[in-house]
Amino acid sequence: MKSPATCRFCAAPLEQVFVDLGVSPLANSFIEPDRLRVMEPFFPLVVFVCGRCFLVQLEEFESPEGIFSEYSYFSSYSDTWLEHCRRYAEAMTRRWNLGAQSKVVEIASNDGYLLQYFKAGGVPVLGVEPAANVAKVAESKGIPTAVLFFGAETAVQLAKHGHQADLIAANNVLAHVPDVNSFVRGFKTLLKPGGVITVEFPHFLNLIEQNQFDTIYHEHFSYLTLAVADRIFRQHGLRVFDVEELPTHGGSLRIYGCHDEDAAQPTLAAVARLRKREQQAGLETLETYRRFQPRVTRVKVDLLKFLIAAYEEKKAVIGYGAPAKGNTLLNFCGVGKELLQYTADRSPHKAGRYLPGCRIPIFAPEHIRETRPDYVLILPWNLKEEITAQLAFVRDWGARFVTAVPDLRVF
């Protein structure tokens, strides 16, 4: 299948398919009960890899405005994630000597989940968040928030209003941006001389090595390696000078960027080491990408076998969590409520609604005690330890946990 599109970074034609997941609705477009009889749009979920720069990417079928202007993902409902952010704020404050004279700007600041820790430490902050409903929650916590989409033009306006930053934080947002060139050019504009940018994103090396295909959905326009992120930064006068590997989201990178001319930040050895590992893994060889599809198909076959066997044995299977990755998995596998009776989620913004596409109902976690299922399929597998601790009570009646990615496991 040849895409009519060109690479969003280097504009080369997109000719090589990485993986084809069929068609799927937008992964965070949860359905209200009174909308169940209304048709929802489905879009191709076909991922391409650029043969010139090796950026792995989806075509843009829906604009960021259509996806993010009213959003149902609130970062503060994961204890693991909040602890990660608290530690980050402490580490950055120490490393860069941040204080009352500094300014931290977070791009895609969501509900203030991260900036609250800088604010508590006396560091002035500004959130930039396009979803007005989510930004309102941040404002209620005392986090000043600009409701806008970040890019080259809006960065100029923010800089004019005195918001140039000593530290720019951008967690799990670079992948959500169709115009990566405008976005990174905005970093260049908003960063003070001598300032630092940190960007976190799921590392594509983990996706391909650990079969994390369910992290692919329309809100994620790009899938990034260190090599590709560095190319994008250099194109816009920035330089990646350090990198850390993180356990979040199934394995992420935190890259540190500065102005290219900033001699105070030499490029550290960690960058070259990880670049070499990516090359050794074949991430700059198209054949590596061509071998991925059969591994994805194996997950689909194994999950359906398990669910059908449970159905035949009259065993009840439910889900836990309503993450975007779960919606990719269930829609790709064609799973409906006849095989997965419902899913449960802590977020009051999701409970009472339905998963997009498969129309599986979402309940509050208390519903699990009432229904006493035989199996719990953990959809946000990256939070497996946190969830199994929260749901330890299901063992009282002999229930077992299941994960489908990277392969089927019952435990």
Side-chain angles (χ1 to χ4, degrees), residues 91-109:
M92 296 305 104
T93 300
R94 282 196 308 270
R95 184 170 180 180
W96 310 116
N97 195 28
L98 301 174
Q101 77 292 346
S102 310
K103 184 65 164 285
V104 175
V105 177
E106 186 186 9
I107 311 303
S109 51

Side-chain angles (χ1 to χ4, degrees), residues 207-221:
L207 187 155
I208 202 166
E209 287 186 342
Q210 299 173 29
N211 203 20
Q212 298 171 354
F213 72 92
D214 58 341
T215 60
I216 294 167
Y217 36 92
H218 296 102
E219 290 92 330
H220 276 177
F221 294 102

Side-chain angles (χ1 to χ4, degrees), residues 25 59 89 94 98 106 138 151 172 194 204 235 279 317 336 344 348 361 393:
E59 293 178 64
R94 282 196 308 270
L98 301 174
E106 186 186 9
N172 302 303
F204 179 75
Q235 180 75 19
Q279 287 177 333
V317 187
F393 62 85

Side-chain angles (χ1 to χ4, degrees), residues 81 84 88 170-173 198-202 246 248 253-254:
W81 181 243
H84 168 77
Y88 165 85
N171 290 337
N172 302 303
V173 60
T198 70
V199 182
E200 294 182 21
F201 51 82
L246 308 171
T248 52
L253 296 183
R254 177 187 294 149

Side-chain angles (χ1 to χ4, degrees), residues 48 159 178 264 298 336 347 369 395:
F48 294 86
R298 184 75 257 163
S347 172
R369 291 184 189 275
R395 297 188 178 97

